[in-house]
Each structure stands twice: as C-alpha cells, then as structure tokens.
Amino acid sequence: MSVSTSPRKGAGPSAPKDEEQRLRELGYQPVLARRMGGFGNFAISFSVISILSGCMTLYGFGMSTGGPAVMLWGWAGVGLFVLCVGMALAEVTSAYPTSGALYYMADRLGGRKWGWYTGWLNLLGLLGAIAGIDYGAALFTGALMKIQWGFTPTPGKTMIIFVCILLLHAVINLFGVRLVSILNSVSVWWHLVGVAVIVSVLAIVPAHHQSPSFVFTEFVNDTGWHNPLYVAAIGLLLAQYTFCGYDASAHLSEETSNASVSAARGIVRAIWVSWVAGFVLLAGLTFAIQDYVGTQNSATGVPPAQILIDALGTSGATAMLVIVIAAQLFCGNAEVAAASRMVFAFSRDNALPGSSLWRKVSARTQTPVPAVWLSVVVAGVLALPSLYSATAYGAVTAINVIGITPAYAIPIFLKLRAGGRFQRGPWHLGRWSKPVGWIAVVWVAIVTVLFLLPQSSPVTIGSMNYASVALVVVLVLATVWWFVARSSYGTPSAYGNAREQAEIEEGII
C-alpha cells in the first residue's frame, strides 16, 4: 500500500508556523504551546494504548472468556482491524489537525449534530479510559503490596490507591505539555524494553512451560454462557480495550509541530508497534502459566502477578511488577493529557455545561488546568461501582470501548459519504482510502454491539454490563443538553471574528 505524505499542490512547507496558520483557517486562534515533535506525538498514543496496561489488567478476564486461544488469535485479528480503523482515522486527522479531533471532523463533514454526538461519545470513552487505566494500576499496586508486605487489597483500599494515582496524574499534567511529552518519550522505551525483559525472563527462568498447542488452541469458558462463539466474541474485549486511545495523537495536534503529518503518522505507528509487541507479551505470559486455575484465583487479585510469582518467585515477580506498574502510570498520565484536551476543545465550542470554566488555559504553562481536574474527577466517579461489584472493572473498560470506538468510525463514515467533497490532507491512503474506510466502519459497528452484551451468566445486578447503562445515560444527557446549548454550540468557520477572539482571550488565566 502506498501512503502519501507529500504536501498538496499549493501547500507551503511543513513548518510549525504553517500549522498555526492552518489552525486559524480551521477556525481557532492558537493558545496551546506547540512544543511536541513527531516522536512525542507517536509516543502519547503508544503510551495510551499501553500493552503493559491493557494486556495485563484484562488478562484475567481473557483467561475466563475463551482462554489462551482467544487471547492470542483474538489479539492478532483485532489488531489487524484496528490498524484499518487507525489508518482511516489518520487520513481524516491529517485534514483536520485540531484538539477537538473526532467531533470537529464529524462537525465539518456531517454537520453540527454529528459533531455534537461524536464529541459526547469521544468524551465518555476518554474519561472511561482514565478510569480503566488508573484503576488497573491501582490493582497491580495492591498486588505488589500484597507480595511485599502482606497487604490485603480490598475494594476500599484499592479505591484509595486509585484516587492517589489520579491526583498524581492531575498534578503532572498541570506542569505543561513539554513534561508530558518527555514522559511519553520515556514511556515508549520503558514499554518496549519492559516487554523484552519480562518475556525473556519468563522464557529462561521457569523449568516448566506450557505447550504451543495449549497456548494457541486451548479454549476456556468460565462465563456461564454455553455458546462458544458468543464467549469468544466477548473475549475480544481484552484486545479491543487495549487498542483504544490512539486518537490521543489527534487531540495533541495543536501542540505538535507539523501536525498534519506527524499526528497521522503517530496514530498508525502506535497501533502497529503495539500490535507486534502485545502479541509477544501475551504469548510470553501464557507459555509461563504454571497452574491455570490457581492463577485465575490468585490471592493477589491479579492473575499476571500470580504467573510471575509461580514462575519467578517473590523477588522476581516484584521486579517485573515494578516494570508493569510504571508503564501503567505512564499510560494513565498520557490519557489524562488527551482527555483534558478533548474537554478543553469541546468547551471552546460551548458544548459542555460550564464551558466558560473548562476552556480556560493557564497563561504560565499554556495548559487547560480546569479541564485536567474535571477529567480526573469524572474518571474517579466512573470507577466508584468497583466498590460494590466484582465485575464493575470489566464494565468500566467496556465503557471505554463503546464510547470511544464508535466515535472513531463516525468521521470515517462521514468522509466516505462526502466522497469528492472531502479535501484530504498531506497524509492519505490514496486509492486504498475507500476499502480501508469501509472495513473500519463495519468492524466498529460489530464490536460496539458486542461490548454492550452481558459478559457473564446469570445476569444479576452485580454481574450485569453497566456499559450499556453508561451509553444510554450519556446519550440522554447529550440530547437534553443539545436543546439547552444548541444556540451557542458550534465550530467556527474561520478565525478572525471579533466575538470569538474575545471569548478565547477570556479563557486565558
């Protein structure tokens, strides 16, 4: 496949000042600091995908919903389809490199209502991702403390750890995008080297390994459902949840040099690098399982921790868990950055209650401070059901998927519908644009339905999939608020209107 990254005819050189002009042409006065390079932009999406977060935190879920066969082959298949989604989305990102990203694209290609609902879905997914990532980090931190000091990771104690992690990520994000970019760059190497170390140690140290037939063909069903196809479909959540968040590159485009190309490349590179490294990690963990049932029922509450303990002993497991937890912390920090930019951009167009507050930007750090705090507070609220329900974490991760994944497909669908009216950017798919785009749209439709379905049987108040409830709530809220805010909501056609300029300047604090 040939992907063009050359400027369109009549376009100027790809330089930061041209991106500032492009942003004005799209309707916005630059107020964020453009201090992130191409590698940093790739790094934020790679950090948000975070195979050491998604693969590890949902590994126990995967062990029960299809087992090794679904985890490994599901990862390979889902990764391929997600790459199609990412390439199609990257093409639209190249044309519209703004912090609003998905909803701005939908607004431009389909109209105000398309943009409105896309934005609310995107926001639900991003906030659900913060909750899922940081709660996962809290679970692993509790497991580490259990190994080291006999700590008992009750739901209440895990929630306290979770809140502390949220506060840490809020504070880090208040220092500005340069620090976030540096941490994301470190995160890339931490993830890649960390996966190599964990897999190598698990391959060398244990005296016993599972057979290839077990790793690639063993099917396990502990869901209570009897249809193996249904169980395998639900088991795809592990991979699809991990392959979320690559729109972070688009949300940080107003802070990226040469964003029309760098943000598009960042999305695609983050997906394929994660695809390869994630398969290696899942295979390494699964080969090293010593006791399948014992791993599922681990006293640590985290099956991968039990795999490490059984294979490497307490000291070795502790060292590996430190690698994993640090990676998860990098991931959560990157997700807070992406979500807060979405809050800022959506408020800039008057789409949220209290928009005048959430769009304010610090004059010192050029960071949307109130948006950062709103992001972590809402994420904390989304994770509260974990205090009462053992299956709530799976629902939180499903909220992430069913919120953000449809939001990826909407601008892709609208681009396909627009046909020749879509003015592509310097990064595009050429003749592959339509087939890749339709594959992406169909895949998203399938997984959105899958992850609204019940994950375990019988379905009770404690075991139901609350993702469907969250989706209905956010759509109802978005519809009600539409009738309140529709007169003030809207993306500008071109920057320069005196009223718009005054409102933007009011947001500088």
Side-chain angles (χ1 to χ4, degrees):
M1 173 167 36
S2 174
V3 175
S4 172
T5 57
S6 59
R8 297 187 307 275
K9 184 178 180 180
S14 297
K17 65 179 181 181
D18 296 325
E19 292 293 346
E20 302 288 54
Q21 178 57 34
R22 176 59 180 151
L23 187 59
R24 291 185 178 93
E25 292 171 359
L26 293 173
Y28 298 112
Q29 171 68 3
V31 295
L32 301 175
R34 202 174 287 274
R35 297 170 180 166
M36 183 176 285
F39 184 82
N41 187 277
F42 148 74
I44 192 164
S45 281
F46 182 78
S47 296
V48 172
I49 291 175
S50 184
I51 53 177
L52 284 173
S53 178
C55 291
M56 291 293 214
T57 52
L58 281 188
Y59 191 86
F61 176 87
M63 292 182 75
S64 298
T65 52
V70 173
M71 284 194 283
L72 270 297
W73 293 115
W75 182 270
V78 169
L80 179 61
F81 286 114
V82 170
L83 186 59
C84 290
V85 178
M87 289 191 294
L89 184 63
E91 185 174 47
V92 191
T93 298
S94 180
Y96 302 109
T98 72
S99 294
L102 309 181
Y103 88 85
Y104 181 90
M105 301 170 195
D107 185 288
R108 278 291 183 266
L109 293 168
R112 295 172 72 226
K113 278 195 174 182
W114 280 104
W116 179 267
Y117 283 100
T118 301
W120 279 92
L121 286 171
N122 190 194
L123 188 59
L124 172 67
L126 287 167
L127 297 174
I130 297 174
I133 293 163
D134 281 2
Y135 195 83
L139 289 170
F140 273 74
T141 301
L144 176 63
M145 295 169 69
K146 168 76 174 177
I147 295 171
Q148 285 295 100
W149 303 293
F151 174 83
T152 302
T154 64
K157 292 176 182 178
T158 301
M159 184 61 64
I160 292 173
I161 298 171
F162 168 65
V163 171
C164 291
I165 292 172
L166 284 176
L167 291 174
L168 171 66
H169 287 154
V171 171
I172 292 174
N173 271 270
L174 298 182
F175 282 96
V177 75
R178 187 181 295 277
L179 176 59
V180 172
S181 182
I182 291 171
L183 290 174
N184 288 332
S185 297
V186 173
S187 172
V188 171
W189 300 111
W190 186 274
H191 274 81
L192 294 177
V193 174
V195 168
V197 169
I198 291 171
V199 172
S200 296
V201 170
L202 288 176
I204 295 171
V205 175
H208 168 74
H209 290 91
Q210 298 292 341
S211 66
S213 63
F214 174 87
V215 172
F216 295 105
T217 65
E218 184 72 14
F219 183 86
V220 178
N221 176 15
D222 294 327
T223 64
W225 298 108
H226 300 297
N227 189 319
L229 291 178
Y230 183 90
V231 174
I234 296 301
L236 298 179
L237 177 60
L238 182 154
Q240 187 64 53
Y241 166 68
T242 305
F243 281 118
C244 276
Y246 44 86
D247 58 315
S249 289
H251 289 296
L252 273 290
S253 59
E254 288 184 34
E255 295 158 90
T256 301
S257 299
N258 196 21
S260 296
V261 172
S262 295
R265 285 177 174 168
I267 291 171
V268 177
R269 287 175 177 172
I271 293 170
W272 74 256
V273 173
S274 298
W275 188 19
V276 174
F279 188 87
V280 173
L281 175 63
L282 288 173
L285 282 170
T286 309
F287 271 111
I289 293 175
Q290 306 296 304
D291 177 359
Y292 200 93
V293 175
T295 297
Q296 288 180 294
N297 300 317
S298 173
T300 66
V302 179
Q306 193 63 48
I307 293 174
L308 296 172
I309 293 170
D310 293 343
L312 309 176
T314 301
S315 298
T318 300
M320 297 303 104
L321 283 176
V322 168
I323 294 175
V324 173
I325 293 167
Q328 293 171 341
L329 294 178
F330 281 127
C331 174
N333 187 65
E335 186 61 38
V336 170
S340 62
R341 271 50 174 192
M342 173 58 196
V343 171
F344 158 76
F346 215 27
S347 299
R348 181 172 58 181
D349 291 328
N350 295 305
L352 295 179
S355 286
S356 60
L357 171 61
W358 312 125
R359 67 172 175 244
K360 289 183 180 293
V361 176
S362 167
R364 182 175 61 86
T365 63
Q366 293 179 276
T367 298
V369 174
V372 170
W373 285 114
L374 179 65
S375 299
V376 297
V377 169
V378 175
V381 172
L382 286 176
L384 284 178
S386 296
L387 286 170
Y388 313 104
S389 170
T391 61
Y393 182 70
V396 169
T397 56
I399 287 172
N400 171 215
V401 173
I402 59 93
I404 209 166
T405 307
Y408 290 159
I410 292 171
I412 298 170
F413 168 75
L414 294 174
K415 180 208 70 173
L416 292 167
R417 192 182 70 167
R421 291 189 295 107
F422 172 68
Q423 298 296 312
R424 66 190 187 189
W427 194 102
H428 59 84
L429 297 171
R431 62 191 177 90
W432 290 95
S433 180
K434 284 187 177 181
V436 170
W438 281 116
I439 290 171
V441 170
V442 171
W443 172 250
V444 168
I446 292 171
V447 298
T448 300
V449 173
L450 283 181
F451 299 139
L452 289 172
L453 300 175
Q455 297 170 352
S456 59
S457 179
V459 180
T460 64
I461 292 177
S463 66
M464 77 171 288
N465 183 357
Y466 288 96
S468 56
V469 177
L471 180 62
V472 171
V473 168
V474 79
L475 290 177
V476 170
L477 176 61
T479 301
V480 170
W481 192 248
W482 167 258
F483 291 102
V484 176
R486 60 181 173 176
S487 60
S488 60
Y489 163 74
T491 58
S493 57
Y495 179 75
N497 181 283
R499 182 180 65 83
E500 290 171 355
Q501 183 175 6
E503 289 178 352
I504 290 171
E505 289 175 351
E506 283 179 7
I508 306 294
I509 59 176

